[in-house]
């Protein structure tokens, strides 16, 4: 593939991936190659390459006679993803705490402070997350694990975070009970800085499980199955 075509493929990949993770492309939505070609003025091959890569990542589904679509949400997959993320997140933070430094502690404090000053919900549409909050949120969780010396673990942890992002965004309009997310983040920060490994592990599990509880209790998965069927 020529370099220019390769660039187009990367651009399409980044676009579709971003739309899926932000839930602008909903679970089960058909991804029509021709529509993407016309929208971005690129070749059929560039779109197919991008979608094939997303299929390998599990974000896009390719079915015979049906073509490409956004991978539907799955209760079994989400529970598995949540448990994997809890275990890996806890391990990466634990190793970060074991290899702590003053600079790392300062970054954790700074990342939390910035996150705490941004509203979680979009002021124009409270059913959506504020994009600036989402960026700061990702930065805070990344700061917690930044001192972990095992790069393979960090890469795997990053993949799990991104895979769970669309589920977390789906939970926002379904969250009717009061949940103080800022308080959860503050407690995690304090446990990490206090070198309290056991409390950190408990808080991380509770923090990540809270989103799972919202989604499981919402009927989302049953609704999504009906929409795709």
């Amino acid at each position: 593939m020529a370099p220019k075509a390769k660039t187009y493929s990367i651009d399409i990949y980044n676009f579709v991936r971003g739309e899926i993770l932000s839930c602008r492309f909903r679970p089960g939505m058909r991804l029509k190659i021709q529509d993407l070609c016309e929208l971005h003025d690129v070749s059929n091959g560039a779109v197919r390459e991008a979608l094939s890569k997303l299929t390998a990542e599990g974000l896009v589904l390719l079915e015979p006679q049906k073509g490409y679509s956004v991978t539907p949400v799955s209760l079994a997959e989400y529970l598995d993803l949540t448990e994997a993320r809890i275990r890996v997140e806890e391990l990466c933070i634990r190793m970060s705490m074991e290899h702590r430094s003053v600079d790392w502690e300062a970054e954790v404090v700074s990342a939390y402070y910035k996150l705490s000053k941004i509203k979680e919900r979009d002021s124009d549409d409270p059913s959506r997350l504020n994009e600036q909050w989402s960026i700061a949120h990702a930065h805070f969780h990344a700061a917690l694990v930044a001192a972990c010396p095992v790069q393979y673990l960090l890469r795997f942890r990053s993949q799990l975070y991104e895979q769970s992002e669309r589920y977390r965004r789906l939970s926002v309009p379904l969250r009717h009970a009061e949940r103080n997310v800022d308080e959860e983040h503050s407690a995690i920060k304090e446990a990490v800085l206090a070198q309290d490994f056991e409390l950190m592990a408990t808080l991380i599990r509770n923090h990540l499980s809270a989103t799972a509880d919202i989604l499981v209790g919402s009927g989302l998965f049953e609704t999504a199955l009906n929409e795709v069927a």
Side-chain angles (χ1 to χ4, degrees):
M1 178 180 285
K4 191 172 184 180
K6 190 72 175 179
T7 301
Y8 289 152
S9 177
I10 293 171
D11 289 343
I12 295 298
Y13 164 82
N14 287 331
F15 168 75
V16 176
R17 189 171 184 275
E19 295 298 282
I20 292 172
L21 292 178
S22 67
C23 293
R24 286 186 287 270
F25 282 2
R26 305 287 290 182
M29 173 183 164
R30 298 298 176 191
L31 298 172
K32 297 180 180 179
I33 292 177
Q34 192 57 41
D35 288 350
L36 289 170
C37 288
E38 292 174 1
L39 180 63
H40 296 276
D41 193 22
V42 296
S43 69
N44 185 292
V47 173
R48 285 186 179 278
E49 182 175 345
L51 294 180
S52 294
K53 186 174 181 180
L54 290 165
T55 299
E57 292 181 6
L59 291 174
V60 168
L61 182 67
L62 174 59
E63 296 179 281
Q65 312 303 321
K66 292 185 178 180
Y68 293 97
S69 62
V70 178
T71 301
V73 292
S74 158
L75 176 58
E77 178 194 64
Y78 180 58
L79 294 178
D80 191 59
L81 172 63
T82 299
E83 185 60 28
R85 189 175 170 218
I86 288 170
R87 300 293 182 114
V88 173
E89 196 85 8
E90 177 192 332
L91 178 58
C92 288
I93 296 176
R94 185 178 294 272
M95 295 183 74
S96 222
M97 292 166 70
E98 291 170 347
H99 293 81
R100 66 196 305 118
S101 67
V102 172
D103 287 342
W104 171 72
E105 291 180 353
E107 182 59 28
V108 169
V109 172
S110 174
Y112 166 73
Y113 180 78
K114 182 174 182 178
L115 176 61
S116 70
K117 297 300 180 183
I118 303 173
K119 290 184 178 180
E120 181 187 7
R121 304 285 186 120
D122 187 324
S123 56
D124 295 326
D125 183 1
S127 69
R128 285 185 174 275
L129 287 176
N130 179 346
E131 288 301 322
Q132 293 305 310
W133 185 91
S134 292
I135 293 170
H137 180 255
H139 181 67
F140 170 69
H141 279 280
L144 292 172
V145 303
C148 173
V150 184
Q151 295 304 307
Y152 274 104
L153 265 179
L154 290 177
R155 283 198 288 270
F156 183 42
R157 178 255 161 206
S158 180
Q159 291 172 358
L160 292 173
Y161 182 93
E162 292 180 344
Q163 288 281 353
S164 65
E165 181 69 1
R166 70 170 182 151
Y167 285 99
R168 186 171 62 79
R169 287 173 180 263
L170 286 170
S171 77
V172 174
L174 304 172
R175 196 174 81 204
H176 303 301
E178 191 63 31
R179 179 186 177 190
N180 193 328
V181 179
D182 180 62
E183 191 173 271
E184 293 174 25
H185 289 143
S186 178
I188 292 169
K189 169 184 66 78
E190 292 301 324
V192 165
L193 295 177
Q195 199 80 339
D196 192 330
F197 292 96
E198 295 310 311
L199 179 58
M200 175 276 294
T202 298
L203 292 172
I204 283 294
R205 175 166 289 277
N206 292 344
H207 181 59
L208 299 182
S209 295
T211 299
D213 291 341
I214 292 168
L215 286 172
V216 172
S218 70
L220 169 75
F221 296 101
E222 291 80 1
T223 301
L225 285 174
N226 291 333
E227 289 176 349
V228 174

